[in-house]
Amino acid sequence: MKTQVCIIGGGPSGLLLSQLLHLKGIDTIVLERQSRDYVLSRIRAGVLEHGFTELMREAECGARMDEEGEIHEGFFISDHEDLLRVDLHKFSGGQTVTVYGQTEVTRDLYEARDRMDGTVIHNVEDVVLHDLTSDRPHVTYRAGDETLRIDCDYVVGADGYHGVSRKSIPKDVLKEYEKVYPFGWLGVLSRTKPVSPELIYARHERGFALCSMRSQVLSRYYVQVPLTDKVEDWSDDAFWTELQRRLPSEVAGQLETGPSIEKSIAPLRGYVAEPMRYGNLFLAGDAAHIVPPTGAKGLNSAASDIHYLYHGLLGHYRDGDDSGLEGYSEKALARVWKAQRFSWWMTQLLHTFPDTIAYDRRMQDTELAYLFSSEAAQRSLAENYVGLPF
Ligand code: RFL
Ligand code: PHB
């Protein structure tokens, strides 16, 4: 097979890029290791920045998101019994975020790829990237007993943190930065009315908790747990009891509980790989960087990568101008690091760290007290939460 851009990974990053390029007449093939049903069963992001929603509209995939997504003009932070509303709209010059699940984003992208007869090949095994520093890179993969080959101009590694693309960059070229947190998030999805019309990020000495949602009848909640905990350790009852204990009592009293329809634990880490280009391979999204979910920046950081890469590839194919591709890694990384900084700050502000020293606990108290009392601090939080410009 031959294509212009071979995209490894059929998650939101790969599908969005494929759709945007196809609309400009640039041919792509997407290779995905899992089945479509499997990809659509992963419950992940819930909060989309304006930049992401704009890209979805540009990809002609925004109709259902605009109809069913909820616009949020603010969110809450609680510290034991104290509750602060951060007015995103007021402090960010009228900007908002959209609550619309990654599962729905991905479903909309798959449907758009189907409508346009885009090539997305599922259940591929043993993907190998070849000749990345030559003018004619190629990709091989296995489907059953057969090994197939795709010749292309460029390879895009959008295959997530555990993908093969980043691992194809020689060790002496790649510089990795990593921070592993000593806890994870236990997440529960339930068919219940969300406890609050806006998200609540809760700090509590027992550990962090988050009240989020997918719609007015579908709630998503998280509690901080030790890395040693297993999903099986947590009955639904134990989860609801723990969540209630970490919320201000006026909120806890309103919590509607019900059976969980999904329950999973995600470890928290910050990670960046530099550079995001090696020869004719470009990395995008979780393949190049991971943030702890506290700032809701993972998928949104993928969106800025896709924006820069899309425009770089468009410059190459439409105008014969390679400056966008040349500058891709540096430009993408500048924004990636700002999302890392914000996610790191939110994480250390709101979580309970094991073995923390008394001085650091006081510093966390004081940082929160400052945030609760200072409009300047809330403005900075709002500017980052709605998303820095691309
Ligand atoms: P994905 O979604 O991991 O997709 C990569 C795809 O590549 C496939 N793959 C391969 N395909 C072919 N060959 C191989 N060798 C392959 N190896 C892997 C995989 O099967 C997969 O389908 O990466 P992508 O597209 O870059 O998207 C990134 C987002 O998924 C991620 O950043 C977000 O989910 C992070 N995130 C959040 N981001 C936000 O912006 N806002 C949020 O509110 C938010 N909440 C979250 C989150 C992530 C979470 N977890 C579980 C990590 C909440 C949670 C709990
Ligand atoms: C979610 O709804 O899954 C979600 C929302 C906000 C975050 C992280 C996850 O910061």
Side-chain angles (χ1 to χ4, degrees):
M1 287 173 275
K2 263 192 175 30
T3 190
Q4 289 170 301
V5 183
C6 183
I7 299 174
I8 319 297
S13 300
L15 295 169
L16 183 55
L17 181 66
S18 163
Q19 175 68 9
L20 287 164
L21 291 175
H22 196 153
L23 287 167
K24 298 290 181 189
I26 300 166
D27 190 54
T28 66
I29 293 177
V30 176
L31 296 179
E32 167 57 49
R33 183 166 60 180
Q34 306 286 355
S35 68
R36 182 182 294 205
D37 283 348
Y38 182 92
V39 175
L40 290 176
S41 71
R42 292 190 293 227
I43 310 292
R44 288 183 167 182
V47 175
L48 308 178
E49 293 174 3
H50 174 75
F52 189 93
T53 54
E54 275 297 295
L55 265 185
M56 285 291 282
R57 290 180 197 110
E58 192 169 348
E60 299 182 1
C61 292
R64 197 163 67 96
M65 176 188 77
D66 284 332
E67 201 167 304
E68 296 176 15
E70 281 185 24
I71 305 289
H72 284 216
E73 296 191 350
F75 67 89
F76 294 93
I77 295 185
S78 70
D79 182 5
H80 297 85
E81 289 302 320
D82 297 335
L83 196 60
L84 166 77
R85 180 170 185 267
V86 180
D87 192 331
L88 293 173
H89 190 263
K90 173 174 158 197
F91 288 132
S92 71
Q95 295 194 66
T96 55
V97 292
T98 302
V99 171
Y100 188 66
Q102 178 171 334
T103 312
E104 305 313 315
V105 166
T106 312
R107 196 188 307 281
D108 295 345
L109 287 165
Y110 271 127
E111 282 175 8
R113 297 285 51 225
D114 286 349
R115 278 198 304 277
M116 294 182 69
D117 279 333
T119 309
V120 182
I121 306 173
H122 283 276
N123 304 309
V124 300
E125 293 177 80
D126 301 337
V127 170
V128 183
L129 282 48
H130 306 265
D131 299 337
L132 292 170
T133 51
S134 83
D135 283 352
R136 296 303 304 164
H138 70 276
V139 175
T140 55
Y141 67 95
R142 196 164 56 77
D145 294 336
E146 243 189 317
T147 296
L148 294 112
R149 170 180 170 137
I150 302 174
D151 289 292
C152 56
D153 302 331
Y154 297 109
V155 182
V156 171
D159 48 353
Y161 182 66
H162 300 287
V164 66
S165 302
R166 186 181 67 249
K167 294 178 191 137
S168 310
I169 302 179
K171 283 224 169 333
D172 58 340
V173 174
L174 201 70
K175 176 113 181 86
E176 296 175 282
Y177 300 85
E178 185 173 46
K179 183 173 177 71
V180 177
Y181 291 91
F183 41 73
W185 282 15
L186 167 67
V188 159
L189 189 70
S190 70
R191 250 181 257 294
T192 50
K193 183 174 156 45
V195 69
S196 156
E198 294 179 336
L199 272 67
I200 304 174
Y201 290 81
R203 182 223 190 190
H204 193 276
E205 62 189 0
R206 295 182 62 85
F208 169 78
L210 170 62
C211 305
S212 182
M213 67 203 71
R214 291 295 174 270
S215 72
Q216 283 311 310
V217 291
L218 197 56
S219 298
R220 180 69 166 162
Y221 296 107
Y222 299 94
V223 294
Q224 174 189 346
V225 293
L227 282 174
T228 43
D229 279 19
K230 303 264 171 298
V231 172
E232 307 75 67
D233 301 337
W234 285 88
S235 66
D236 288 357
D237 278 350
F239 178 85
W240 293 120
T241 304
E242 188 57 37
L243 177 63
Q244 264 168 329
R245 294 177 82 164
R246 297 183 187 188
L247 300 174
S249 39
E250 58 169 310
V251 177
Q254 307 282 316
L255 185 71
E256 191 180 296
T257 63
S260 63
I261 48 179
E262 195 265 359
K263 201 188 274 167
S264 49
I265 294 182
L268 264 64
R269 90 171 67 228
Y271 172 88
V272 181
E274 292 183 351
M276 288 171 62
R277 174 189 192 170
Y278 173 66
N280 286 319
L281 166 68
F282 294 89
L283 300 179
D286 278 17
H289 43 77
I290 300 276
V291 282
T294 328
K297 289 285 166 259
L299 184 57
N300 291 308
S301 299
S304 58
D305 295 352
I306 297 305
H307 169 87
Y308 296 133
L309 193 49
Y310 164 56
H311 286 281
L313 289 164
L314 209 53
H316 171 82
Y317 285 111
R318 198 183 50 188
D319 311 323
D321 172 6
D322 281 349
S323 58
L325 289 179
E326 300 295 346
Y328 168 70
S329 178
E330 200 182 325
K331 211 164 177 184
L333 283 166
R335 192 171 186 278
V336 159
W337 275 111
K338 288 180 187 149
Q340 291 281 332
R341 185 204 70 81
F342 179 65
S343 307
W344 161 84
W345 177 79
M346 283 278 276
T347 303
Q348 54 104 26
L349 179 72
L350 296 170
H351 289 76
T352 298
F353 286 75
D355 308 325
T356 183
I357 57 171
Y359 180 94
D360 287 343
R361 250 195 319 274
R362 286 297 241 182
M363 207 44 85
Q364 197 185 40
D365 292 342
T366 309
E367 178 98 39
L368 267 160
Y370 170 61
L371 177 66
F372 275 48
S373 66
S374 161
E375 286 207 350
Q378 290 167 37
R379 191 179 300 279
S380 165
L381 168 55
E383 178 190 34
N384 281 278
Y385 195 85
V386 298
L388 297 173
F390 289 176

